């Protein structure tokens, strides 16, 4: 079974600074997909970024980028130039192409003005 | 706007009561899912439907039943609600062959069982 671990229950960052959220996973699959979802206080789940395991290049979406270390089974999210609207729960998730998306327990990020 | 619609958004039940959570998507997705979210637990899969006419258990199916009414609709039923089922429930959908692109989620239902 696949597992996803987010070791930081809560984090804070000053506005305009950079923060990195950690995620590790465990799988025996060779081809899989990793995601970061954002859940603001509105409760809506929003896909932030997606990474395909067979791609060496780290995914980037505007101020959001990942550091994907396949050998270490690590998938961290970097948020640059943090904004107040980035305050949210962030979930790391994994799928090996099955129907199930496995989530970590989440990291609560607070952006401080 | 296209997406996943869940009803109701909030509900309070007494122990032993039953209710059905409704979910509909208008993106022509084949696969639909029900998750529950509890503090410190992330999201856990209750049931999923890979395609119209099929349903399968996820990680935490006990106490729930589902119905895939048609391609658009996937409902979750609590036959006899228990306080342990107090949670936020999310419905989601994906293309069967494109689940690798992630899911589209509804806005959730906050259920309290007293």
């Amino acid at each position: 079974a696949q597992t996803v671990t987010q070791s930081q229950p809560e984090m804070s960052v000053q506005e305009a600074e950079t923060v990195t959220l950690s995620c590790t996973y465990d799988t025996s699959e060779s081809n899989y997909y990793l995601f970061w979802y954002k859940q603001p206080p509105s409760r809506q789940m929003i896909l932030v970024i997606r990474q395909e395991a067979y791609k060496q290049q780290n995914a980037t979406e505007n101020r959001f980028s990942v550091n994907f270390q396949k050998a270490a089974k690590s998938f961290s999210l970097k948020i640059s130039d943090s904004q107040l609207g980035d305050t949210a729960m962030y979930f790391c998730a994994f799928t090996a192409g099955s129907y199930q998306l496995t989530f970590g327990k989440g990291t609560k990020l607070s952006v401080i003005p | 706007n296209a997406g996943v619609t869940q009803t109701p958004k909030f509900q309070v039940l007494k122990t032993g009561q039953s209710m059905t959570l409704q979910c509909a998507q208008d993106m022509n997705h084949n696969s639909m899912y029900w998750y529950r979210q509890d503090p410190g637990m992330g999201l856990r899969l209750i049931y999923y439907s890979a395609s119209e006419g099929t349903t399968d258990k996820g990680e935490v199916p006990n106490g729930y039943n589902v119905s895939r009414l048609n391609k658009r609709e996937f409902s979750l039923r609590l036959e006899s609600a228990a306080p342990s089922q107090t949670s936020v429930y999310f419905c989601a959908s994906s293309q069967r062959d494109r689940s690798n692109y992630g899911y589209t989620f509804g806005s959730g239902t906050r259920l309290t069982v007293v």
Side-chain angles (χ1 to χ4, degrees), chain A residues 10-30:
Chain A
E10 293 192 39
M11 296 187 72
S12 61
V13 62
Q14 292 289 136
E15 195 174 5
E17 297 294 310
T18 296
V19 64
T20 299
L21 281 58
S22 301
C23 173
T24 58
Y25 58 93
D26 188 24
T27 183
S28 58
E29 301 286 343
S30 58

Short mmCIF file of all heavy atoms in Angstrom, two decimals, chain A residues 10-30:
data_model
loop_
_atom_site.label_atom_id
_atom_site.label_comp_id
_atom_site.label_asym_id
_atom_site.label_seq_id
_atom_site.Cartn_x
_atom_site.Cartn_y
_atom_site.Cartn_z
N GLU A 10 2.02 22.23 11.03
CA GLU A 10 1.77 23.65 10.89
C GLU A 10 3.08 24.37 10.54
O GLU A 10 4.16 24.00 11.01
CB GLU A 10 1.21 24.25 12.19
CG GLU A 10 -0.17 23.76 12.55
CD GLU A 10 -0.80 24.58 13.66
OE1 GLU A 10 -0.62 25.81 13.67
OE2 GLU A 10 -1.46 23.98 14.54
N MET A 11 2.94 25.42 9.73
CA MET A 11 4.06 26.27 9.39
C MET A 11 3.57 27.69 9.25
O MET A 11 2.37 27.93 8.99
CB MET A 11 4.72 25.82 8.09
CG MET A 11 5.35 24.45 8.13
SD MET A 11 6.26 24.10 6.61
CE MET A 11 7.67 25.18 6.83
N SER A 12 4.51 28.63 9.38
CA SER A 12 4.17 30.02 9.14
C SER A 12 5.30 30.66 8.36
O SER A 12 6.45 30.20 8.39
CB SER A 12 3.93 30.78 10.46
OG SER A 12 5.09 30.76 11.24
N VAL A 13 4.95 31.71 7.63
CA VAL A 13 5.93 32.42 6.81
C VAL A 13 5.54 33.88 6.73
O VAL A 13 4.33 34.22 6.75
CB VAL A 13 6.01 31.79 5.39
CG1 VAL A 13 4.68 31.90 4.66
CG2 VAL A 13 7.13 32.41 4.57
N GLN A 14 6.51 34.75 6.66
CA GLN A 14 6.24 36.17 6.50
C GLN A 14 5.84 36.43 5.04
O GLN A 14 6.34 35.78 4.11
CB GLN A 14 7.47 37.00 6.84
CG GLN A 14 7.86 36.99 8.31
CD GLN A 14 6.88 37.77 9.18
OE1 GLN A 14 6.50 37.32 10.24
NE2 GLN A 14 6.46 38.94 8.69
N GLU A 15 4.94 37.36 4.89
CA GLU A 15 4.53 37.77 3.55
C GLU A 15 5.77 38.15 2.74
O GLU A 15 6.70 38.76 3.24
CB GLU A 15 3.59 38.98 3.67
CG GLU A 15 2.81 39.31 2.44
CD GLU A 15 1.81 40.43 2.68
OE1 GLU A 15 1.81 41.00 3.80
OE2 GLU A 15 1.01 40.72 1.77
N ALA A 16 5.78 37.71 1.48
CA ALA A 16 6.85 37.97 0.50
C ALA A 16 8.06 37.03 0.66
O ALA A 16 8.95 37.04 -0.19
CB ALA A 16 7.33 39.40 0.51
N GLU A 17 8.08 36.24 1.71
CA GLU A 17 9.18 35.31 1.90
C GLU A 17 8.86 33.98 1.19
O GLU A 17 7.78 33.79 0.62
CB GLU A 17 9.41 35.06 3.39
CG GLU A 17 9.85 36.29 4.15
CD GLU A 17 11.22 36.79 3.71
OE1 GLU A 17 12.15 35.98 3.65
OE2 GLU A 17 11.34 38.00 3.42
N THR A 18 9.84 33.08 1.25
CA THR A 18 9.71 31.76 0.62
C THR A 18 9.58 30.68 1.68
O THR A 18 10.22 30.76 2.73
CB THR A 18 10.94 31.46 -0.26
OG1 THR A 18 10.98 32.41 -1.33
CG2 THR A 18 10.89 30.06 -0.85
N VAL A 19 8.73 29.71 1.41
CA VAL A 19 8.51 28.61 2.36
C VAL A 19 8.49 27.29 1.59
O VAL A 19 8.06 27.25 0.43
CB VAL A 19 7.20 28.81 3.14
CG1 VAL A 19 5.99 28.77 2.21
CG2 VAL A 19 7.05 27.81 4.28
N THR A 20 8.96 26.24 2.25
CA THR A 20 8.97 24.91 1.64
C THR A 20 8.22 23.93 2.52
O THR A 20 8.51 23.81 3.72
CB THR A 20 10.41 24.42 1.42
OG1 THR A 20 11.09 25.31 0.53
CG2 THR A 20 10.40 23.02 0.80
N LEU A 21 7.25 23.24 1.93
CA LEU A 21 6.46 22.23 2.63
C LEU A 21 6.97 20.85 2.21
O LEU A 21 7.16 20.59 1.02
CB LEU A 21 4.98 22.36 2.27
CG LEU A 21 4.16 23.46 2.95
CD1 LEU A 21 4.73 24.84 2.70
CD2 LEU A 21 2.71 23.39 2.51
N SER A 22 7.14 19.97 3.17
CA SER A 22 7.73 18.66 2.91
C SER A 22 6.69 17.57 2.71
O SER A 22 5.60 17.61 3.30
CB SER A 22 8.65 18.26 4.07
OG SER A 22 9.67 19.20 4.24
N CYS A 23 7.05 16.60 1.90
CA CYS A 23 6.20 15.44 1.66
C CYS A 23 7.10 14.26 1.28
O CYS A 23 7.99 14.41 0.43
CB CYS A 23 5.20 15.70 0.55
SG CYS A 23 4.22 14.26 0.04
N THR A 24 6.89 13.15 1.92
CA THR A 24 7.56 11.91 1.50
C THR A 24 6.50 10.85 1.26
O THR A 24 5.38 10.94 1.79
CB THR A 24 8.56 11.41 2.56
OG1 THR A 24 7.87 11.19 3.79
CG2 THR A 24 9.68 12.40 2.76
N TYR A 25 6.84 9.88 0.46
CA TYR A 25 5.87 8.85 0.11
C TYR A 25 6.57 7.52 0.03
O TYR A 25 7.81 7.44 -0.06
CB TYR A 25 5.17 9.20 -1.21
CG TYR A 25 6.13 9.37 -2.36
CD1 TYR A 25 6.44 8.32 -3.21
CD2 TYR A 25 6.75 10.60 -2.58
CE1 TYR A 25 7.33 8.47 -4.24
CE2 TYR A 25 7.66 10.76 -3.60
CZ TYR A 25 7.94 9.71 -4.43
OH TYR A 25 8.84 9.86 -5.44
N ASP A 26 5.80 6.48 0.06
CA ASP A 26 6.35 5.14 -0.02
C ASP A 26 5.55 4.35 -1.04
O ASP A 26 4.32 4.27 -0.95
CB ASP A 26 6.28 4.44 1.35
CG ASP A 26 7.02 3.12 1.34
OD1 ASP A 26 7.91 2.94 0.49
OD2 ASP A 26 6.69 2.25 2.17
N THR A 27 6.25 3.78 -2.01
CA THR A 27 5.60 2.99 -3.03
C THR A 27 6.61 2.05 -3.67
O THR A 27 7.80 2.34 -3.67
CB THR A 27 4.97 3.88 -4.12
OG1 THR A 27 4.28 3.05 -5.06
CG2 THR A 27 6.02 4.70 -4.85
N SER A 28 6.11 0.96 -4.21
CA SER A 28 6.94 0.04 -4.97
C SER A 28 6.72 0.23 -6.47
O SER A 28 7.37 -0.44 -7.28
CB SER A 28 6.64 -1.40 -4.57
OG SER A 28 5.27 -1.69 -4.78
N GLU A 29 5.83 1.14 -6.82
CA GLU A 29 5.54 1.40 -8.23
C GLU A 29 6.68 2.21 -8.84
O GLU A 29 7.36 2.97 -8.15
CB GLU A 29 4.23 2.18 -8.37
CG GLU A 29 3.02 1.48 -7.79
CD GLU A 29 2.55 0.32 -8.64
OE1 GLU A 29 2.94 0.24 -9.82
OE2 GLU A 29 1.78 -0.51 -8.14
N SER A 30 6.86 2.05 -10.14
CA SER A 30 7.90 2.82 -10.82
C SER A 30 7.33 4.03 -11.55
O SER A 30 8.03 5.01 -11.79
CB SER A 30 8.64 1.92 -11.82
OG SER A 30 7.72 1.39 -12.77
#
